[in-house]
Amino acid sequence: MASHSDTLVVFFGATAGANGGKLGSDERELILLVWQIVDLHENKVGKLQQTLVQPDSVDLSEQCKEETGLTVEELCKAEPLESVLQQFHQSVSAEVKSLGRSSYTLCVDGPLLIRQVLHPEASKKNLVLPECFYTFVDLKKEFHKCCPNAGLVKDLTLPSMLDYVCIPAVVEQEAGLREVKNMVLLMLHLLAEPYNHKFSTFETVNYKFESGACSKTEAVDSETVIRARGLPWQSSDQDIARFFKGLNIAKGGVALCLNAQGRRNGEALVRFINSEHRDMALDRHKHHMGNRYIEVYKATGEEFLKIAGGTSNEVAQFLSKENQVIIRMRGLPFTATPQDVLGFLGPESPVTDGMEGLLFVKYPDGRPTGDAFVLFACEEYAQNALKKHKQILGKRYIELFRSTAAEVQQVLNRYMSTPLISTLPPPPPMVSVPVLATPPFITSGSTRDCIRLRGLPYTAAIEEILEFMGEHTIDIKPHGVHMVLNQQGRPSGDAFIQMKSADRAFMVAQKCHKKMMKDRYVEVFQCSTEEMSFVLMGGTLNRSGLSPPPCKLPCLSPPTYAAFPATPAMLPTEAALYQPPLLATPRTPQAPTHSPAHALAYYSPQLYMNMNMSYTTYYPSPPVSPSTVSYFAAPPGSVAAAVAAQPAPALLPPQPGALVRMQGLPYNAGVKDILSFFQGYQLQADSVLVLYNWSGQRSGEALVTFPSEKAARRAVAECSNLPLSGHPIRLVCCE
């Protein structure tokens, strides 16, 4: 077979919009193709040929009309792109064969025609391009090799190159024919003395995007990275690669960004093979993916590594299998085993290498997160698995999505680097405590920012309560889970949870009320801190109102101390167990390392509990590492006063998103109606919570989560009092 350099086909095209240096930047369709064959062995040229292409839209820009002289009537008589490309390939192949050659390569004046016009348009129209359009020669780069002093490649133009080598340009020809003739003149000049140039550098267009892993130690050039914004939430890395079709993305160079809840936020970081491809990607700013336009901005290598880079050998080994389709499973029961997952997927969706093709995502302490990634050998198996989206495993429905290697790395990084809910700071110094006062972190108040869970299974552990809460665990205050025990010190079936705000508590009560846990439905009510404190101190909370506790903690007799052998114990890092009165040996005080204002007393976990107490006992349970239980009591005297003078403990770092309450909704308004009402704000179905009253009927209100406070306030300003099915809607930002 002859070398590709034996025959070149000089190739030129024009679009219905911008041409020249802006070719392809406005997404306009191809309307003109001109070409001519050059035999490099004998320096002969073939017949100059021209053909028109009928676009889907024949709206021509003024620049196009002026430069090409084409009219709408001419284009309406032309063939569509698919037919023209087939005719081009057949015509050129026949002519090359008549010259005794077996292959050819396209030669273009810069890469824009191939990379920015032909491949993107063919991708949008689902056309399969002939193989000849995946390799080409850039005449500007070849000229720069011969004449490096002529200027930078990006600044070269056909007239400037002809002028540099003193060749008079053809000027009296129509557009397209003129450019091809000038390109042929320049090419023949480079082939002759004194240059004797050999066309040897061939650029390629990737057939498909290759997924792969990226290490945090890898060097990523910031001049090769962009950020794409406004993507459909279900977009995969292959969808993004298709949007940038014609440009070569580095292996594993698509990183989908996730929000604080682990969901895709419509953004991605994309890494290209060089800065030239990155610059062409920036020219696709506000090009369309389906009906949505995508914003494209510059990004840095550090941003890409933060999202896609990883250090886990387990992930690297998981992703080492080539050409695998990755599916993400979300919402798995925490007790799910690999056999459970394989059984759920079934024989029609065989996982690559069985259990080795499964990767469970876990917290740093080994607890499962409910997420897993699965490898499939082919698209067919992956499609079969995706059909099980929202089917039931155990008692939970499972979500399945297409995923990427970068998303695997990002999810692992997120869970392994920081827990879902912040833990306590390092332990403060020890102080011996003679009296147990009111438990810290619980302050009396009438704000209804708490919820009460009633009817819990007696065997329910903290992990199961957190699983029951689902995504709402991020809104729990630190040390805000309080299990209520009966007079025998056993679980009573009740629990109180302190939320970050009254709105969050209201939303959880609406969403989780009568949700099932271990074959029991759990009642969830909104309540205040004051009501919670009454119950935790031994009072009762029922329809008749509050009954005060039979005794108050400050009135308890000071506990007596019993001698226990000193044993080394780990200092607690989580919330404490309150079981008054206490019999314990206080630990030896350590040197203060913190401000006395934050001093709390820590005890060895050797307790003697008085089971004859006449009030309900409870223990507050941390939302993190709930299997780790430790103990502390409140400080006495002046230390307690100093603690009381401090502001409330810091809450969780503010989570992205802001709530807007909708009022005055029609009672038949659903999620789709609300999404349509906020059209243009890129909300997803899970951003909307329609509220119901205690009779199970819609209340005419809804809560909508926006991605930022700025977006929420803009929506309130723009959409307040707009009608929905004839009803004016009132919008209020929730604090």
Side-chain angles (χ1 to χ4, degrees):
M1 179 180 290
S3 169
H4 275 206
S5 60
D6 289 339
T7 310
L8 293 181
V9 178
V10 178
F11 192 63
F12 174 85
T15 71
N19 289 292
K22 290 293 184 180
L23 189 68
S25 62
D26 55 1
E27 287 190 284
R28 300 302 292 273
E29 296 172 278
L30 202 63
I31 60 170
L32 173 67
L33 288 179
V34 185
W35 68 88
Q36 189 171 19
I37 293 178
V38 178
D39 187 335
L40 300 183
H41 273 218
E42 302 181 12
N43 292 356
K44 293 182 179 180
V45 298
K47 181 181 177 182
L48 184 64
Q49 299 191 60
Q50 176 187 22
T51 184
L52 300 181
V53 183
Q54 184 185 85
D56 292 342
S57 172
V58 290
D59 180 25
L60 305 181
S61 70
E62 292 301 321
Q63 179 190 1
C64 172
K65 293 177 182 177
E66 182 180 347
E67 292 182 356
T68 65
L70 296 174
T71 64
V72 172
E73 291 74 17
E74 291 177 296
L75 294 177
C76 288
K77 299 176 183 178
E79 296 288 331
L81 180 62
E82 183 176 19
S83 300
V84 170
L85 294 180
Q86 292 297 332
Q87 293 170 12
F88 164 81
H89 183 55
Q90 294 170 5
S91 172
V92 172
S93 298
E95 189 171 352
V96 167
K97 188 175 181 180
S98 67
L99 294 173
R101 312 297 179 197
S102 58
S103 63
Y104 63 90
T105 304
L106 300 180
C107 179
V108 291
D109 179 25
L112 299 183
L113 176 61
I114 301 294
R115 295 193 184 278
Q116 294 286 71
V117 177
L118 203 55
H119 278 277
E121 184 175 342
S123 177
K124 288 178 181 177
K125 295 181 177 180
N126 294 316
L127 304 181
V128 178
L129 290 175
E131 188 177 354
C132 62
F133 293 107
Y134 286 87
T135 308
F136 65 92
V137 171
D138 187 345
L139 184 58
K140 289 181 180 179
K141 292 181 180 178
E142 297 293 332
F143 177 83
H144 189 263
K145 290 181 183 178
C146 298
C147 308
N149 297 325
L152 298 175
V153 172
K154 64 179 182 178
D155 297 329
L156 295 176
T157 64
L158 196 51
S160 70
M161 290 187 289
L162 290 169
D163 185 62
Y164 187 85
V165 294
C166 303
I167 298 176
V170 176
V171 295
E172 296 180 0
Q173 294 286 343
E174 58 184 296
L177 300 178
R178 177 177 64 247
E179 282 79 5
V180 169
K181 283 192 173 185
N182 284 328
M183 289 170 68
V184 171
L185 282 175
L186 182 60
M187 186 182 300
L188 293 175
H189 186 77
L190 297 179
L191 291 170
E193 295 287 348
Y195 300 107
N196 294 321
H197 181 66
K198 301 293 184 183
F199 288 84
S200 56
T201 303
F202 302 98
E203 295 199 37
T204 60
V205 178
N206 288 348
Y207 283 92
K208 64 177 182 178
F209 167 70
E210 290 186 81
S211 61
C214 175
S215 170
K216 281 191 178 296
T217 60
E218 187 175 339
V220 177
D221 185 358
S222 292
E223 296 300 312
T224 65
V225 182
I226 62 94
R227 180 184 294 272
R229 185 176 296 166
L231 299 163
W233 67 269
Q234 70 272 32
S235 298
S236 67
D237 54 351
Q238 296 295 339
D239 295 324
I240 296 169
R242 185 175 181 181
F243 174 79
F244 290 108
K245 185 67 176 176
L247 308 180
N248 292 348
I249 299 174
K251 183 177 180 179
V254 176
L256 298 167
C257 300
L258 308 179
N259 62 18
Q261 288 74 42
R263 300 177 183 272
R264 297 175 188 173
N265 64 2
E267 295 188 13
L269 292 169
V270 185
R271 177 189 179 192
F272 295 91
I273 60 170
N274 57 40
S275 60
E276 179 189 10
H277 289 237
R278 193 283 303 266
D279 292 341
M280 285 188 279
L282 292 172
D283 284 336
R284 299 197 188 183
H285 179 59
K286 293 199 173 180
H287 284 203
H288 288 76
M289 179 185 288
N291 294 324
R292 304 181 64 149
Y293 71 83
I294 308 302
E295 300 173 38
V296 183
Y297 303 99
K298 290 182 180 180
T300 65
E302 289 78 8
E303 289 176 298
F304 182 83
L305 285 175
K306 184 178 180 181
I307 299 298
T311 56
S312 170
N313 293 329
E314 183 183 15
V315 176
Q317 183 177 358
F318 177 76
L319 297 174
S320 63
K321 301 177 176 62
E322 296 289 335
N323 301 319
Q324 299 290 313
V325 184
I326 305 175
I327 297 295
R328 179 181 179 184
M329 302 181 71
R330 194 167 63 196
L332 291 168
F334 294 154
T335 57
T337 64
Q339 291 79 9
D340 295 333
V341 174
L342 293 177
F344 173 80
L345 294 171
E348 65 275 11
S349 306
V351 177
T352 301
D353 296 336
M355 287 189 289
E356 293 184 9
L358 295 175
L359 178 64
F360 287 89
V361 183
K362 298 180 180 180
Y363 289 110
D365 59 4
R367 289 181 296 123
T369 65
D371 277 28
F373 292 93
V374 190
L375 294 178
F376 295 99
C378 65
E379 186 66 30
E380 179 185 357
Y381 296 159
Q383 286 287 354
N384 291 338
L386 290 171
K387 293 176 182 177
K388 297 182 181 294
H389 179 59
K390 292 202 173 180
Q391 290 190 14
I392 302 297
L393 174 58
K395 296 175 184 176
R396 305 191 63 175
Y397 72 84
I398 311 302
E399 298 175 294
L400 290 94
F401 307 97
R402 289 183 179 275
S403 189
T404 68
E407 186 175 24
V408 175
Q409 198 67 73
Q410 187 182 358
V411 172
L412 265 293
N413 290 347
R414 177 184 299 274
Y415 282 115
M416 293 303 294
S417 60
T418 55
L420 186 62
I421 297 179
S422 304
T423 58
L424 280 171
M430 293 341 109
V431 182
S432 60
V433 180
V435 179
L436 179 68
T438 304
F441 303 133
I442 301 180
T443 57
S444 179
S446 58
T447 305
R448 297 175 64 80
D449 58 354
C450 302
I451 59 170
R452 181 183 187 183
L453 278 63
R454 191 168 66 188
L456 293 167
Y458 295 133
T459 58
I462 304 302
E463 291 91 340
E464 291 162 321
I465 293 179
L466 296 179
E467 180 183 352
F468 174 83
M469 293 281 290
E471 61 186 10
H472 302 292
T473 54
I474 64 169
D475 296 322
I476 301 175
K477 286 185 179 181
H479 333 299
V481 181
H482 307 279
M483 298 289 291
V484 181
L485 308 181
N486 61 21
Q487 293 187 359
Q488 287 72 44
R490 296 172 182 170
S492 66
D494 279 24
F496 284 88
I497 299 178
Q498 293 174 278
M499 308 301 293
K500 290 168 55 179
S501 69
D503 284 317
R504 301 290 180 181
F506 178 77
M507 184 165 63
V508 175
Q510 288 278 333
K511 204 162 187 177
C512 296
H513 184 57
K514 294 197 174 181
K515 185 177 171 182
M516 300 298 293
M517 181 190 292
K518 290 186 177 178
D519 298 324
R520 296 190 64 172
Y521 73 83
V522 178
E523 297 175 295
V524 182
F525 306 105
Q526 186 181 9
C527 66
S528 67
T529 310
E530 182 181 17
E531 294 168 334
M532 177 186 71
S533 299
F534 263 87
V535 175
L536 296 183
M537 295 297 182
T540 58
L541 176 62
N542 51 39
R543 293 181 181 179
S544 303
L546 289 171
S547 299
C551 63
K552 300 293 186 181
L553 286 176
C555 300
L556 294 176
S557 302
T560 53
Y561 293 96
F564 288 90
T567 55
M570 293 295 294
L571 290 178
T573 60
E574 309 292 347
L577 171 65
Y578 301 100
Q579 291 283 15
L582 301 179
L583 290 176
T585 303
R587 293 184 182 173
T588 305
Q590 299 179 356
T593 57
H594 294 268
S595 168
H598 295 285
L600 297 176
Y602 285 80
Y603 287 88
S604 171
Q606 300 174 7
L607 302 177
Y608 171 79
M609 291 183 294
N610 181 358
M611 293 303 180
N612 297 319
M613 49 191 140
S614 59
Y615 48 86
T616 305
T617 58
Y618 73 100
Y619 62 94
S621 315
V624 274
S625 303
S627 55
T628 305
V629 181
S630 49
Y631 312 88
F632 70 84
S638 59
V639 178
V643 172
Q646 293 299 313
L651 299 179
L652 291 171
Q655 300 291 338
L659 280 176
V660 169
R661 184 188 293 270
M662 302 181 72
Q663 297 175 323
L665 288 169
Y667 291 111
N668 59 350
V671 174
K672 290 185 178 179
D673 301 312
I674 295 173
L675 292 177
S676 298
F677 181 81
F678 289 111
Q679 189 173 9
Y681 286 88
Q682 300 182 3
L683 299 177
Q684 307 299 332
D686 57 3
S687 302
V688 178
L689 177 63
V690 179
L691 303 183
Y692 292 77
N693 59 28
W694 294 112
S695 302
Q697 300 171 334
R698 293 184 181 180
S699 64
E701 294 189 355
L703 294 176
V704 183
T705 304
F706 284 79
S708 67
E709 184 178 354
K710 181 179 178 182
R713 295 192 180 278
R714 182 164 67 91
V716 170
E718 294 177 353
C719 300
S720 283
N721 297 319
L722 291 181
L724 175 58
S725 300
H727 292 243
I729 305 302
R730 182 168 175 260
L731 303 178
V732 181
C733 282
C734 300
E735 295 298 331

